[in-house]
Amino acid sequence: MAEERPGAWFGFGFCGFGQELGSGRGHQVHSPSPLRAGVDVCRVSASWSYTAFVTRGGRVELSGSASGAAGGCRDAWASEGLLLVLRAGPGPEALLQAWAPDSALRGEPLWAHNVVPEAVEEDDPDGEAQTGRLPLLPCARAYVSPRPPFYRPLAPELRARQLELGAEHALLLDAAGQVFSWGGGRHGQLGHGTLEAELEPRLLEALQGLTMAEVAAGGWHSVCVSETGDIYIWGWNESGQLALPTRNLAEDGETVAREATGLNEDGSQVKRTGRVEDGAPAPFIAVQPFPALLDLPLGSDAVKVSCGSRHTAVVTRTGELYTWGWGKYGQLGHEDTTSLDWPRRVEYFVDKQLQVKAVTCGPWNTYVYAVEKGKS
C-alpha cells in the first residue's frame, strides 16, 4: 500500500483578527498562502473572527480573536458563540466540551457531555452512520447548535452520516445518501420549493433517487455532491454563490458570458445565460428554492464541497479547486477581490503542481489541503 503523500494547508481571504492565513499581512490574503503549521494540521474549522486547528497529535490550537491550545483532542468546531472540543476518553468514549471562544481553553468549560458511540447495527457493518464530524456527535444521534438548546437529539431512523449548519438552517446526509434539511427557509436554502421554515428534518424530495456523498451549508445557501460527481445547489444567490446569474454582479460589470444549468419548478432543466449576445437583460436568479444541477468547466466531477457565508468552493476528482461567489476579501483565491457568479479554477495550485485534497470555508475565508502531484 502506497504511503500517503505529505501535504500542506493553505489559506486565503479575511484575516482581520489576525487568524492564521499563511504569510499574509493586513486584513486579507488574495492568493493561497501556506500555513506556518500546515504540515501537522489534520482538521480546520473557521469561524468569522478565529480559526481552530486540530493537529495529528491531537492538539487544538486557536488563532485570531480567540487564542489558546489544548491536548488530547479528537475534533473541534468553531463558531462565534461557542467552541466545541471533542476530547479523547477511555476506549471509544469521548468527552464533548463547550467553551466560550475567549476562554483560551482555560478553567472550566461552559458545559460537558460524555459521548458513547452507538453499537454498530447489523445493516451498517462498516459504521457508515457514525463517521461524521462536529457538530454531529460520534453517536450520530445528536448534534450541537451554537444557540440554545445546545444539545439537540436526532431521530434514530435518520442514521446521520454528516451534518452541516448554515446561519439559519441545517443539512443532514444519511447513511443511504439522502439529504434532509430544516430551519429557516426565507432564502430558499432548504430546497423544498418554498420560502417556509421547517421545524423538523424534511427529506429533500427533489433529490430522491440520487445518492449524495457530501453536503455543505453556506450562510443562506446549500450544496451537495452526488456519488457520481454531480453538483446540486440552491438557496440565496445574492453574490453569485449558486453560480447562477445575479443582478448585483451584472450591475457592477463583473458578470461575463457563460451558461449554467438549473431546474424549473417541474424539475425540467433550463439553461440561463449571464448576458445574451444582443445585450438583452439576463434572467437573473435571486433565490433558487429547488436544487439546480451545476456543471463545472470541462465536465469535471466534484468530490468535495464547502461553503462560506456567500461563497462556494469545490474540489474535483482530479484535484483542482473551483471557487465562486462573494470575493471581497480574496476568499476565492484568484489574486483579486472580484466576486463571480460562475465557477473559476484557482490557478495557484495548478501552477505549483499541487493536487487539492480538501477544502474548508470560513464565513469570509478559505482553507485548502493539497499534496504534490506525482509523488508517493
Side-chain angles (χ1 to χ4, degrees):
M1 191 174 183
E3 185 179 347
E4 184 180 352
R5 286 173 281 173
W9 283 88
F10 300 78
F12 43 99
F14 178 74
C15 53
F17 291 89
Q19 53 264 64
E20 166 75 62
L21 271 182
S23 58
R25 299 187 182 279
H27 295 293
Q28 51 194 268
V29 177
H30 297 166
S31 181
S33 181
L35 303 188
R36 289 188 293 273
V39 176
D40 193 41
V41 172
C42 64
R43 171 97 197 270
V44 176
S45 179
S47 187
W48 176 60
S49 66
Y50 75 100
T51 302
F53 302 97
V54 182
T55 71
R56 299 182 192 281
R59 183 176 174 83
V60 171
E61 300 177 356
L62 307 181
S63 173
S65 66
S67 60
C73 301
R74 296 181 181 179
D75 198 3
W77 184 76
S79 71
E80 288 304 294
L82 207 62
L83 168 66
L84 297 181
V85 175
L86 193 65
R87 309 194 82 148
E93 295 184 11
L95 176 64
L96 176 70
Q97 295 179 331
W99 296 82
D102 60 0
S103 68
L105 294 172
R106 295 176 181 171
E108 295 296 323
L110 298 174
W111 54 269
H113 185 85
N114 285 312
V115 180
V116 180
E118 293 284 332
V120 176
E121 300 175 7
E122 292 183 5
D123 60 346
D124 186 27
D126 297 323
E128 288 185 1
Q130 302 171 34
T131 58
R133 286 179 164 175
L134 292 175
L136 180 66
L137 299 186
C139 63
R141 296 293 184 263
Y143 70 100
V144 179
S145 168
R147 292 177 291 275
F150 299 117
Y151 184 88
R152 303 192 182 189
L154 292 166
E157 59 268 21
L158 287 176
R159 301 175 68 229
R161 189 171 78 193
Q162 183 189 1
L163 187 142
E164 299 291 329
L165 298 179
E168 300 172 349
H169 73 295
L171 292 179
L172 183 148
L173 177 69
D174 75 0
Q178 297 183 109
V179 179
F180 295 77
S181 65
W182 67 99
R186 61 195 176 106
H187 293 293
Q189 64 263 49
L190 299 185
H192 301 303
T194 73
L195 306 184
E196 300 297 321
E198 294 287 342
L199 296 180
E200 299 293 334
R202 177 181 170 186
L203 178 66
L204 213 61
E205 296 178 1
L207 297 177
Q208 275 193 286
L210 301 170
T211 304
M212 297 298 148
E214 281 220 355
V215 295
W220 299 269
H221 72 291
S222 305
V223 188
C224 60
V225 174
S226 73
E227 282 192 339
T228 57
D230 292 326
I231 301 170
Y232 295 87
I233 192 164
W234 63 95
W236 199 29
N237 193 45
E238 188 268 349
S239 297
Q241 59 263 50
L242 303 188
L244 297 173
T246 177
R247 184 179 302 277
N248 284 355
L249 301 191
E251 291 174 348
D252 292 340
E254 294 182 358
T255 301
V256 299
R258 53 62 183 123
E259 290 185 342
T261 304
L263 297 177
N264 276 321
E265 290 189 8
D266 61 1
S268 61
Q269 292 187 349
V270 56
K271 286 191 174 181
R272 307 180 177 102
T273 304
R275 180 175 298 160
V276 295
E277 292 182 3
D278 61 2
F284 298 115
I285 307 299
V287 169
Q288 175 72 27
F290 279 106
L293 176 63
L294 172 65
D295 292 324
L296 290 178
L298 306 177
S300 301
D301 291 334
V303 292
K304 300 286 184 182
V305 61
S306 186
C307 298
S309 176
R310 286 180 283 159
H311 74 288
T312 308
V314 164
V315 179
T316 70
R317 205 176 299 280
T318 55
E320 295 180 326
L321 178 70
Y322 284 85
T323 61
W324 61 91
W326 191 47
K328 180 178 179 179
Y329 293 98
Q331 60 263 49
L332 302 186
H334 302 306
E335 302 185 18
D336 58 25
T337 58
T338 300
S339 297
L340 300 172
D341 57 4
W342 53 281
R344 181 180 175 186
R345 189 173 68 180
V346 179
E347 297 299 329
Y348 174 91
F349 298 103
V350 177
D351 295 341
K352 297 291 185 181
Q353 291 291 299
L354 295 173
Q355 187 174 16
V356 176
K357 292 291 188 178
V359 61
T360 298
C361 294
W364 296 0
N365 53 29
T366 306
Y367 291 89
V368 173
Y369 180 72
V371 301
E372 292 186 33
K373 287 184 178 179
K375 290 190 176 182
S376 59

